[in-house]
Amino acid sequence: LNVAAPLRLLLVEDEPTQLLLTQRMLRQGGYEVETASDGATALAKLATGRFQLLVTDWEMPGMDGPTLCRKVRATRLPGYLYILLLTGQIATRSVVIGLEAGADDYVRKPADEAELLARLAAGRRIVQLEQSLRDANAQIKRLSVTDPLVSAFNRRYLNEQLLQEVDLARRRQQPLSVILADLDYFKSINDQYGHQIGDEVLIHFVAQASGVLRDEIDWVARFGGEEFVVVLPGIGLAAAVTVAEQIRARCANAVIATEAGDLKFTASFGVATLSATRGSNAAAATMLLREADAALYRSKREGRNRITGADRL
Amino acid sequence: MLDRHGLGTAREGARGANPRLIAPALDLVRLRATVGDDWQFMKELCRTFMASSRSLLEELQHAVSCEDRPQVKAVAHKLKGGAGSVCAQRIMDLSLALEHTALGAPGNELAGMVDQIRAALGECASVVEVYFS
């Protein structure tokens, strides 16, 4: 949420004159305003998750303001929605009903422009604070599962997410493949060019691998050191071998410019597909990685810069 | 004429009288103080109110003739809100009274109040016609 950007506000009012007047006040107050003339239309618009603020009339045909508040609070929205009730009700009991229904604040009608905007400014602060907390949480979560050097997922994410992938593949009865990759002669690279260049090679590998993967479906995790796991949901062994070949070729053809001259590197790959239909997901995931590791070992033994599928073991 | 249309000081000379009777039909001075010197917007707002309130008046008439008192109360409330937005004080006062008495007053009294609202609305229409045509 850009602090400078106008907040999106939904104004719900069934009386056209009040709608026009309030809408103008809110726009002059710097809000991006959309309108709805009844609760059902408002709920449909709010479900899009585009709004941060809701200003609603109390008395409306069909669904009144407090009912709308209750329904909104029962709806799962991407962020906090600050609700301000406009009410002609002057009894304290009515105000309590509105607040208990989920409204954050209220303004008595006819709304005074300065008061309405001041109360919404308080709402804006709450919305922005909640958004910054959510951003911080998301950032913490991202950091907790990301390798700080190469920006691929880390071992913790691999351990947790691979189980989920195995579970999903089994339930959907779809294939699931993994590619285990190991950079060839990585120790020599570190020794000859230094660790900083070694780090660049690791980053480069992830970039090359990511370049052939499907967005939001396939993913790469750093297994440890110079070893990586590529997870390919819905992909069988033959197709996974093809993906591995694309990564291998991209790595072999890439040139990394260093102060000590151009650097080329290769990697070896082992590919395996989920086969265990019985046993726990954890056991199946372990087996999958073990088969990929055995295939990788064979690639290393047979000369490196090559791919071995688990069917050749 | 300005006094009659709420552009002068009509209230000052009417101390002690029934406020419903002397409240201007449409107080353009107050409306201008509320929305600023945006003549175009005042015009749009008043025209929106006229269109909306004519329709609400028909709903009121129907609800009164059907003795649908909760509906009379609801429509009077809505009319009051619209009238408040354009500073149509007399309609606002009458609607408020109608809203408060809708559930208990005799039917002919409600019908009389609707007639008064209709008359006040007619005056508003004249003001709108004069200033915004």
Side-chain angles (χ1 to χ4, degrees):
Chain A
L1 188 68
N2 183 348
V3 174
L7 293 189
R8 280 182 295 274
L9 182 153
L10 183 66
L11 169 64
V12 193
E13 170 63 73
D14 65 315
E15 202 289 309
T17 321
Q18 292 182 86
L19 181 78
L20 196 60
L21 187 63
T22 314
Q23 183 181 24
R24 182 172 181 266
M25 279 182 196
L26 296 170
R27 284 196 171 138
Q28 286 182 337
Y31 295 95
E32 196 179 304
V33 183
E34 273 192 45
T35 63
S37 57
D38 59 76
T41 308
L43 278 176
K45 288 194 172 190
L46 291 169
T48 63
R50 291 185 297 117
F51 299 94
Q52 289 92 36
L53 299 159
L54 170 67
V55 175
T56 179
D57 188 21
W58 181 297
E59 298 209 19
M60 294 182 290
M63 187 190 302
D64 64 11
T67 307
L68 176 60
C69 290
R70 273 189 287 274
K71 286 184 183 281
V72 168
R73 292 304 182 215
T75 305
R76 194 179 174 85
L77 295 172
Y80 190 71
L81 183 75
Y82 189 89
I83 305 178
L84 191 142
L85 262 175
L86 293 175
T87 175
Q89 310 274 346
I90 52 169
T92 303
R93 177 71 195 133
S94 299
V95 170
V96 170
I97 288 171
L99 295 176
E100 283 181 349
D104 294 287
D105 199 1
Y106 68 96
V107 168
R108 291 212 163 93
K109 287 164 79 172
D112 175 80
E113 183 169 354
E115 182 186 0
L116 177 63
L117 294 181
R119 288 185 183 273
L120 281 174
R124 170 193 285 263
R125 288 193 291 274
I126 288 171
V127 165
Q128 287 173 339
L129 181 64
E130 189 267 348
Q131 178 67 44
S132 63
L133 281 172
R134 250 179 325 120
D135 287 348
N137 281 338
Q139 174 75 348
I140 289 166
K141 190 176 175 190
R142 206 162 34 244
L143 290 173
S144 75
V145 296
T146 305
D147 182 279
L149 174 65
V150 299
S151 296
F153 290 113
N154 60 17
R155 182 72 177 261
R156 174 198 288 190
Y157 183 84
L158 174 70
N159 291 344
E160 290 171 3
Q161 192 59 29
L162 187 58
L163 291 182
Q164 305 292 325
E165 300 285 9
V166 168
D167 184 56
L168 204 63
R170 283 173 145 183
R171 281 194 283 115
R172 291 183 179 170
Q173 296 186 313
Q174 287 178 344
L176 169 68
S177 296
V178 298
I179 302 168
L180 191 56
D182 185 272
L183 273 55
D184 297 330
Y185 304 112
F186 187 69
K187 184 173 182 308
S188 303
I189 293 172
N190 272 337
D191 291 346
Q192 187 177 343
Y193 293 91
H195 286 276
Q196 200 173 338
I197 299 299
D199 289 349
E200 271 187 47
V201 173
L202 294 171
I203 293 166
H204 216 77
F205 173 82
V206 172
Q208 297 301 337
S210 300
V212 301
L213 301 183
R214 297 167 296 173
D215 287 343
E216 312 289 329
I217 301 173
D218 305 330
W219 48 278
V220 190
R222 190 175 179 189
F223 199 46
E226 67 272 26
E227 274 192 289
F228 294 89
V229 177
V230 179
V231 179
L232 305 165
I235 297 279
L237 185 66
V241 167
T242 303
V243 172
E245 172 53 29
Q246 288 174 326
I247 299 171
R248 189 207 61 77
R250 285 171 68 110
C251 290
N253 294 328
V255 176
I256 302 172
T258 73
E259 285 180 0
D262 288 349
L263 167 63
K264 290 179 74 79
F265 73 100
T266 62
S268 302
F269 301 83
V271 184
T273 296
L274 182 68
S275 55
T277 53
R278 289 159 63 174
S280 69
N281 290 336
T286 303
M287 177 65 74
L288 183 61
L289 288 175
R290 216 174 263 163
E291 287 179 5
D293 191 43
L296 169 61
Y297 182 71
R298 181 158 175 172
S299 290
K300 290 281 186 189
R301 210 178 50 212
E302 291 184 351
R304 297 179 170 84
N305 188 24
R306 68 193 60 225
I307 297 143
T308 303
D311 57 336
R312 290 183 54 220
L313 293 173
Chain B
M1 180 171 165
L2 287 179
D3 284 353
R4 189 160 64 85
H5 295 148
L7 292 175
T9 54
R11 288 173 161 209
E12 288 171 12
R15 250 180 234 117
N18 182 344
R20 274 191 222 161
L21 298 178
I22 54 87
L26 194 58
D27 190 339
L28 293 179
V29 171
R30 244 178 75 209
L31 181 58
R32 196 170 72 177
T34 306
V35 303
D37 277 333
D38 188 342
W39 197 250
Q40 238 356 79
F41 180 71
M42 279 174 70
K43 182 175 169 179
E44 186 186 358
L45 195 67
C46 289
R47 286 189 164 174
T48 302
F49 169 68
M50 290 311 301
S52 162
S53 55
R54 277 189 194 112
S55 156
L56 289 173
L57 191 65
E58 294 316 307
E59 283 183 47
L60 260 185
Q61 190 82 58
H62 181 71
V64 167
S65 62
C66 298
E67 292 269 335
D68 184 350
R69 288 165 182 271
Q71 180 66 4
V72 171
K73 184 174 159 73
V75 178
H77 175 83
K78 192 168 174 179
L79 186 58
K80 180 189 72 181
S85 298
V86 290
C87 305
Q89 190 63 43
R90 201 178 310 158
I91 295 176
M92 202 176 155
D93 291 344
L94 288 164
S95 304
L96 177 65
L98 183 56
E99 184 186 359
H100 283 167
T101 55
L103 299 181
N108 61 346
E109 192 176 312
L110 299 184
M113 292 169 91
V114 172
D115 286 342
Q116 288 184 62
I117 291 174
R118 187 186 297 282
L121 196 58
E123 280 193 48
C124 281
S126 303
V127 177
V128 170
E129 178 65 26
V130 167
Y131 286 94
F132 299 121
S133 59

